Amino acid sequence: MSDRTATKPCSLDNVGWLANEPAEFKCWVAREGRWRRFAVGQFVYQAGDRPDGVYGLASGSLLITFPLVAEEPVVIHRAEAGFWIGDLAELADAQRLVTVSAATDCRLLHLPSHAIHAALTAKPIYWQSFYRLNMITLATTVRILSETLALTVRARVCRRLLSLAERSSSVDITQEQLAQLLGVTRTTMRRCLADLESRGAIESTYGKVEVKDRSVLETFR
C-alpha cells in the first residue's frame, strides 16, 4: 500500500459525488488527495476508530459492515467506483459507525483530516460540497432500507445485480457474499439465482455472476 499525491484532477471527478462539484473544489481534492491501495480483505477503517479523513473509491469494491449484535458484523452495502465514505464521522468529529474493508483489490483517494479542516476554515463555501456528500450518503441509506422493507428477494437481487454490473457485466461476488449483502439465507439466494439463470438473465459460476440479459433483471426489479 502506498500513498501518492494526485497532481491533476483524479479519475473520480467524473463519477459520483465529485462529478457535480465546482472545478475549484475538484482541483482542491486532486491537490490534497493521496492515492492508497488496499488488498482484498484489508480494512480501510473499523467501527470505533477515530476519523482520519474521507475516502473515495476509484476502482474495486468496498464492503460496508455494522456491528449489530455482540459485535457480529452485518453486511449493509457493497460499494463500487465513485463511492465516497467517511464524511459523517469526520465532520462530526465522532467515532466511525461502520467498518469498511476491501471486497476486491481497491484503489482509493484519501482526503486527510487536516486538509479537510484547513480548507473548511479557509473556504467555508466548501461546507456546501460536503453537505451534498452527506445527502448522497443519506439517500443511499434510505434506499437500502426502503428496498429491504418493501421489495421481494427477487426484486432486491435484480436491483443489486444491475447496480453491481453497471460498468462490467461480470460481477466478482460469491453467492454467499450476495446473500449476506441482502440479508437472506444461502438457500434462498441459490433458489433465486437458479430461477434467474433459467430465464437467461445471468450465469452464476464460482465467485462470479455474469449478467447475460439486463432486460430480464429490469423486468423483476
Side-chain angles (χ1 to χ4, degrees):
M1 183 174 67
S2 63
D3 293 6
R4 181 173 62 82
T5 302
T7 57
K8 60 182 179 179
C10 68
S11 59
L12 287 166
D13 62 356
N14 292 317
V15 63
W17 169 47
L18 283 184
N20 297 313
E21 293 306 312
E24 178 187 336
F25 186 80
K26 290 180 183 180
C27 289
W28 170 77
V29 170
R31 185 172 63 252
E32 298 296 339
R34 299 293 185 273
W35 289 111
R36 300 180 65 179
R37 294 185 182 275
F38 293 83
V40 58
Q42 189 175 3
F43 291 115
V44 178
Y45 58 75
Q46 299 187 63
D49 286 352
R50 294 295 305 169
D52 67 340
V54 175
Y55 293 84
L57 178 60
S59 65
S61 300
L62 292 174
L63 203 61
I64 319 300
T65 62
F66 180 74
L68 184 62
V69 179
E71 298 187 354
E72 184 70 23
V74 175
V75 178
I76 56 177
H77 189 51
R78 179 175 169 129
E80 304 299 314
F83 180 81
W84 288 80
I85 195 166
D87 50 300
L88 296 179
E90 181 62 46
L91 298 179
D93 190 26
Q95 292 181 336
R96 302 288 197 188
L97 289 176
V98 297
T99 294
V100 180
S101 60
T104 64
D105 290 346
C106 293
R107 183 171 181 252
L108 293 96
L109 190 69
H110 177 217
L111 288 175
S113 296
H114 65 84
I116 292 172
H117 292 286
L120 291 175
T121 299
K123 292 183 175 291
I125 195 171
Y126 283 5
W127 275 104
Q128 293 182 358
S129 293
F130 282 103
Y131 273 124
R132 284 190 284 269
L133 176 56
N134 288 171
M135 276 296 297
I136 293 171
T137 302
L138 178 60
T140 300
T141 304
V142 171
R143 176 181 56 77
I144 293 171
L145 176 60
S146 299
E147 290 177 355
T148 301
L149 292 174
L151 297 180
T152 65
V153 171
R154 183 167 66 179
R156 290 163 58 201
V157 169
C158 289
R159 282 171 172 259
R160 193 51 55 94
L161 288 177
L162 285 167
S163 175
L164 293 173
E166 280 186 358
R167 292 177 176 81
S168 172
S169 61
S170 183
V171 180
D172 292 324
I173 192 169
T174 67
Q175 291 187 13
E176 181 176 3
Q177 289 170 336
L178 193 55
Q180 291 176 338
L181 183 60
L182 295 177
V184 300
T185 65
R186 281 178 287 180
T187 300
T188 298
M189 182 57 64
R190 280 197 298 269
R191 285 200 300 265
C192 185
L193 292 179
D195 174 64
L196 292 173
E197 194 158 5
S198 71
R199 298 172 186 272
I202 65 168
E203 181 180 342
S204 180
T205 58
Y206 182 77
K208 192 180 295 292
V209 176
E210 185 81 22
V211 175
K212 296 292 188 179
D213 189 344
R214 294 181 64 91
S215 66
V216 177
L217 299 180
E218 292 282 359
T219 299
F220 294 113
R221 67 172 293 168

